[in-house]
């Protein structure tokens, strides 16, 4: 059985994670407006997995790496 690289597994999970609440509920995190992520950065990301994912998506967006996650999204 082939083993998937843990980093790739993490990126696949990140690419397919959706916002669980609020105005952008059910949107992929990578599809959130950058201004919304900047707001979270200023106010503080939530605790736990969602906060870590939001912070990672913010970093990917500001570094122009959105296509990396988009390739991994399930349609």
């Amino acid at each position: 059985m082939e083993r998937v690289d843990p980093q790739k597994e993490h990126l696949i999970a990140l690419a397919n994670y959706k916002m669980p609440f609020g105005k952008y509920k059910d949107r992929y995190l990578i599809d959130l407006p950058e201004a919304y992520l900047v707001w979270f950065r200023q106010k503080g990301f939530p605790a736990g997995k969602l906060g870590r994912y939001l912070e990672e998506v913010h970093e990917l967006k500001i570094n122009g790496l959105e296509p990396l996650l988009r390739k991994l999204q399930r349609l």
Side-chain angles (χ1 to χ4, degrees), residues 21-55:
F21 61 83
K23 180 179 181 178
Y24 299 108
K25 183 178 182 186
D26 295 328
R27 273 206 203 174
Y28 290 112
L29 297 185
I30 197 64
D31 293 334
L32 295 175
E34 191 171 338
Y36 188 60
L37 297 167
V38 168
W39 178 84
F40 264 116
R41 182 143 202 73
Q42 292 169 344
K43 298 292 181 185
F45 291 105
K49 182 183 200 175
L50 176 61
R52 289 190 311 272
Y53 278 9
L54 287 170
E55 190 168 9

Side-chain angles (χ1 to χ4, degrees), residues 4-14 72:
V4 178
D5 177 2
Q7 287 181 326
K8 184 175 182 180
E9 215 169 78
H10 174 75
L11 287 175
I12 290 169
L14 181 60
L72 299 172

Side-chain angles (χ1 to χ4, degrees), residues 50-61:
L50 176 61
R52 289 190 311 272
Y53 278 9
L54 287 170
E55 190 168 9
E56 288 178 45
V57 166
H58 178 254
E59 288 296 320
L60 288 167
K61 278 185 172 264

